[in-house]
Amino acid sequence: MAQDESASRRTFLKTAGAAAATASVAGCTGGGGQDTSTTTSGSDTTTDSGTGTTESGGENMGDFPVTITQGQMPSTLDPQNHRETPTDNVVLHAYEGLLARDRKGKAQAELATEWERTSDGVVKFQLREGVTFHSGNDLTPEDVAFSINRIVKEDVSIASPQSDQLSGVTGASVVDGERAVEVQSDGLNPIVFSLFATYCDIMEKQWVQDRSKSEVAKDMNGTGPFKLENYQENVQVRLSRNEDYWREPAAVSTLTFRAAKESSTRVNQLLEGETDVIVNVPPQEIGRVKGSGSARIAAVPSTRIIYNAMRYDAEPFSSPKFRQAMNYAIDLNSILENILSGFGDATGQPTLEGFTGYNSNVSAYAANKSRAETLVEESGHAGVSITLHTPVGRYLKDVEIAQAVSNQINQLSNVSCSVKQRDFGALAGQLTDGNLETSPKFYLIGWGNATFDASQTIIPLLTTDGALTSYSNENVDSTIQEAQNTGNADQRSSLLQQTNKTLHDEAPWIFLNRQYSVYGVSQSVAWQARRDERIDAYAMEPKQ
Amino acid sequence: MSMGRFLLKRTLQGIFVIWGVVTAVFLLRFITPGSPITFVAPLDASQELRQQIARELGLNKPFYVQYLDYLFNLLQGDMGYSYISGTEASNLIFARLPATLELAVAASIVAVVLSIPLGVISATRRHEPADYAATSFSLVGISTPNFWLGIMLVLLLSVQFGFFPTSRRGIGLGPALGMLVTQAKISGLTTWLSHITLPAITLGTYFTALITRLTRSGMLDELGKPYVRASRAKGLPETLVRYKHALRNTLIPVVTVLGLQLGTLIGGAVITEAVFAWPGLGTLLINAINARDWPLIQGSLIVIGAGFVIINIFVDALYARLNPQVVH
């Protein structure tokens, strides 16, 4: 604790901001849930006999093949060398973490049975007995320590793009004489358990070391409920039920992952019975799925927020009044209803409902054209023209949402707005080059935060040294720093709520919608969608 | 010049074309906005992580070192590793190639089988109902967007009537033929046919229409030439005049266009591939471009370039066969 207190605000925010990789703007991995086991006292211990990620498993051990069609195939089968949800959806059937989350995001045990903070910056995980890898070898503390170090230390194996996901973690080591692993962090790291509940898949040390990077990318050897049977790169991945799984074997006998980029193709496959679960059913196809009789829609609010960032350092967005005016100019309910067919929630702060730090007293801005025009006048920027940059096809209805925002701003008598469609790579390059001045002044983007913790949205996006920031406010910086240095969960939550209220009032974004995950599911499969965008076939059962 | 020397010359030219492609793509990567690190690393990655990844991918080396390394490795058959997947680019590309070739050839077969008879009938029965029907078909075929036709075919023949699968490749032609030969099972071939029919029709319709028009105009042109009148005056049967003399000369530009189109199909059937979730090279290339996965982009373009070169050599050979003056 003392160590943290001595750190400068800038150093702290830089570390935390850079490490707040629990989410990503660009369709990254999910997770979710409250960090119920985050503690600051060395004596606090959390235990769980372990029911794992989901509440299913195979009572039915018969033949129950399931096919899942996503928008893209996994880019790799190496669970630690990617940052994509479609890849996670495949590899997390074979690999598991120390902790996991249930469908609603609550943290729970997986390969660890107990976890505790032994001192500031040091936590210990007690490992489950009787767990074996698909290779037949037992899970050991060495495997766990190696897996963590493979992510956070470049010299162990790879420069893992997940190193920032384990925010502040500096390394792991085996505890002498115990079936346990100790994880060291730089500073207090109050959300370390939350991070491990979402990230860090455990691999077998010897298995990885015996293989090249390319071989690890084409094979899988985890402890999970499914084993790799066949992998045709970019075509399909087929897994089979792990009969030696440490929990009950899955009900699904064979699990096949395929991809179809076009949403209409996925819907056709579902309706013809060629697949059982499809992702991202667009609003215009929902009626066709619902009316088919052979399939249904499973929709759930995701952990992703869509917003329009307004750069605080550039006119006219440097004026809080102008930024507020832009929020009042938008009829968010109309966008939700007409563009997203109701599959979206209005937001009025950067933190989503259900997250630690969400402020329930803050509402979304209500459309008010005259107030918006007045605020524009008061800001001194009447008559200004602005351009909204938007990626194309990166987020659900991104261009349509941007066009609606632009049209609604254009309805103000004293502002004109146009939309500029951008290649995502080029836009992302500008946002991540470390120079705020190269970013567009006004852009649409999405952010997924898998940890269900406000800090992991605010630090990277809305603090002065955030890796993807568009905003700077000393008050926000200091409150967040204070929150990250406090061990009291209630006090921390209160500080985060206070920050959210400030951010609502200061309006660094046009707060848009919480994106929904919308799946099409065959009537023959019993399954409920998860908030963290993960598709968990272990939770699937044949529908009676 | 003998035919052998003619083909050797064309082959050497083709190698230079491919080298030119590699060089041009290498130059392009340095002026194209967007870094591959943006796609490998998360957007909120620290600068330290970005530098680590750049080092691992070799992106921190000077341009000329990267270029020479690539050429050196390429000469040994190594196209490098995909930035995104970390696996061999050559494996990813050659795994897609059979699907691409099958679709391109099937679409071309659809085009040839339908278009040449249609074009000939249209030309020989000018201003008759058959001519009007063929020209109307070709007009509609040229005007119909691929994606719309594909979606309509799926909705009608797959979703409505269930005649064909909605999408995917199902099985490769090689394994399907293998099943037929080794196990005397025809099911592999029927599966392959059922999967490729709609994509081939979708992709082939435009070319059918194009070649129908080309054949029709070519035939009309040839049938009006003095040698045809002379042949008829000599008393040659009309069938011989039309199909041995006029059609053969008409086929010269048709073969050229077919060859060029086949080359285009190898890299350009992106829309059809997307509609039918067909695992072809076009989609791989577009995804690689979107992710700035340069080893995959370069490898794909080399293969597509090589495909163009090979097809053009083949077309040149065929052209020379149809018109021996070409060699000389």
Side-chain angles (χ1 to χ4, degrees), chain A residues 168-217:
Chain A
V169 172
T170 53
S173 52
V174 176
V175 179
D176 286 342
E178 290 186 52
R179 187 173 167 74
V181 168
E182 205 169 64
V183 176
Q184 299 87 31
S185 288
D186 181 16
L188 175 65
N189 205 351
I191 62 165
V192 65
F193 294 121
S194 189
L195 301 179
F196 275 97
T198 309
Y199 307 117
C200 188
D201 305 316
I202 303 303
M203 306 177 79
E204 186 184 352
K205 180 179 179 181
Q206 197 60 49
W207 184 87
V208 174
Q209 289 181 336
D210 287 347
R211 284 161 179 76
S212 68
K213 179 181 167 185
S214 171
E215 288 169 328
V216 173

Side-chain angles (χ1 to χ4, degrees), chain A residues 416-427:
Chain A
S416 62
C417 182
S418 59
V419 171
K420 185 171 184 180
Q421 298 187 17
R422 298 287 306 276
D423 167 69
F424 179 77
L427 176 61

